[in-house]
């Protein structure tokens, strides 16, 4: 399955907006207004990839109605760092453009490194 970068970003932004005590399940995110433009598969795949990359923590369990279900626990330190790098719309657009034009698709960690490079370039570093 192809990773939808915009979905990854919107999933992280949605997670960031949650209160500290909120621990929603997959259903919450699938039905969330901000994520309605994505397929269920894109949302679930984004969660799986963000978890495997160490950017979020979820507790996964088998479910009958969706490919898998989970409880969202938290954004990790690395996830917050990634989110800070991709929050700005212009940085996000430039990072996606660089990745897409150079290699077509890349891992979340490559996208994160690209966003970091865009920010460094903007700062003249």
């Amino acid at each position: 399955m192809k990773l939808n970068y915009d979905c990854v970003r919107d999933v992280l932004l949605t997670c960031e907006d949650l209160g500290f005590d909120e621990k929603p399940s997959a259903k919450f995110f699938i039905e969330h207004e901000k994520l309605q433009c994505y397929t269920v598969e894109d949302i679930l795949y984004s969660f799986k990839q963000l978890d495997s990359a160490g950017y979020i923590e979820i507790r996964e369990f088998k479910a009958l109605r969706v490919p898998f279900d989970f409880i969202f626990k938290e954004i990790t330190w690395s996830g917050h760092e990634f989110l800070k790098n991709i929050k700005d719309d212009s940085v996000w657009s430039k990072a996606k453009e660089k990745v897409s034009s150079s290699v077509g698709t890349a891992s979340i960690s490559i996208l994160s490194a690209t966003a970091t490079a865009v920010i460094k370039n903007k700062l003249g570093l």
Side-chain angles (χ1 to χ4, degrees):
M1 181 168 187
K2 186 176 176 183
L3 187 61
N4 183 326
Y5 297 133
D6 290 316
C7 185
V8 166
R9 181 178 186 238
D10 285 341
V11 161
L12 271 177
L13 289 169
T14 302
C15 290
E16 183 184 50
D17 289 342
L18 294 173
F20 184 73
D21 292 332
E22 292 183 67
K23 304 293 183 210
S25 68
K27 183 178 189 251
F28 169 86
F29 291 99
I30 290 167
E31 295 175 352
H32 195 280
E33 181 181 329
K34 188 174 198 160
L35 302 176
Q36 287 299 297
C37 59
Y38 304 108
T39 66
V40 170
E41 292 79 15
D42 278 340
I43 295 166
L44 296 177
Y45 191 64
S46 293
F47 270 97
K48 275 186 161 276
Q49 295 306 309
L50 285 165
D51 182 57
S52 68
Y55 292 140
I56 63 170
E57 288 184 15
I58 60 174
R59 190 182 88 214
E60 190 176 331
F61 51 90
K62 296 205 184 276
L64 298 174
R65 296 188 182 149
V66 291
F68 82 104
D69 202 356
F70 61 86
I71 299 294
F72 169 75
K73 292 172 67 178
E74 65 184 358
I75 301 174
T76 65
W77 179 264
S78 296
H80 281 290
E81 291 293 306
F82 176 52
L83 190 53
K84 280 191 277 185
N85 286 343
I86 63 170
K87 204 172 223 182
D88 179 88
D89 289 338
S90 66
V91 170
W92 176 244
S93 295
K94 188 75 168 172
K96 277 193 330 178
E97 177 186 316
K98 282 183 172 258
V99 167
S100 295
S101 66
S102 300
V103 292
T105 65
S107 68
I108 293 173
S109 59
I110 296 295
L111 184 60
S112 179
T114 304
T116 301
V118 169
I119 292 170
K120 285 181 177 180
N121 189 21
K122 279 186 155 194
L123 295 172
L125 301 175

